[in-house]
């Protein structure tokens, strides 16, 4: 019941680190987490492959991006 009274925000950019911090806060132990092996990720623009569509998606989701940027300041772990 007590855990339902708290809100934790984790940034997906560094989810493993956030889960480790959350487990520490709550006194839980986590199983081994498979860390990213240094793979470089292709940018969203490259994955979409169409500049016009990419710009449309950016405009259409601008509020979501703003909300994400704001929420990063509330995250349990700072990914910067």
């Amino acid at each position: 019941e007590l855990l339902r009274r708290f809100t934790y925000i984790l940034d997906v950019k560094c989810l493993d680190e956030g889960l480790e911090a959350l487990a520490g806060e709550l006194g839980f132990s986590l199983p081994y987490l498979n860390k990213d092996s240094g793979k470089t990720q292709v940018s969203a623009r490259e994955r979409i492959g169409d500049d016009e569509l990419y710009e449309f998606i950016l405009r259409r989701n601008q509020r979501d991006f703003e909300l994400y940027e704001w929420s990063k300041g509330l995250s349990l772990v700072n990914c910067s």
Side-chain angles (χ1 to χ4, degrees):
E1 182 64 33
L2 182 61
L3 289 179
R4 293 175 194 207
R5 297 182 190 170
F6 296 94
T7 299
Y8 289 92
I9 298 173
L10 303 178
D11 187 342
V12 297
K13 184 176 179 183
C14 56
L15 186 58
D16 287 348
E17 292 87 350
L19 288 172
E20 289 172 355
L22 179 60
E25 290 272 323
L26 299 176
F28 296 153
S29 61
L30 291 177
Y32 172 76
L33 296 174
N34 187 11
K35 302 279 184 190
D36 184 21
S37 59
K39 293 186 260 181
T40 57
Q41 188 155 11
V42 178
S43 73
R45 184 184 294 271
E46 291 172 316
R47 285 194 313 269
I48 292 169
D50 182 317
D51 287 340
E52 187 175 334
L53 178 59
Y54 176 77
E55 294 299 327
F56 171 77
I57 292 170
L58 283 182
R59 287 190 309 274
R60 180 77 177 187
N61 295 293
Q62 184 60 37
R63 296 286 186 202
D64 292 323
F65 296 133
E66 291 170 10
L67 179 61
Y68 172 65
E69 289 300 319
W70 174 78
S71 72
K72 290 192 304 186
L74 303 174
S75 180
L76 188 58
V77 172
N78 181 346
C79 299
S80 300

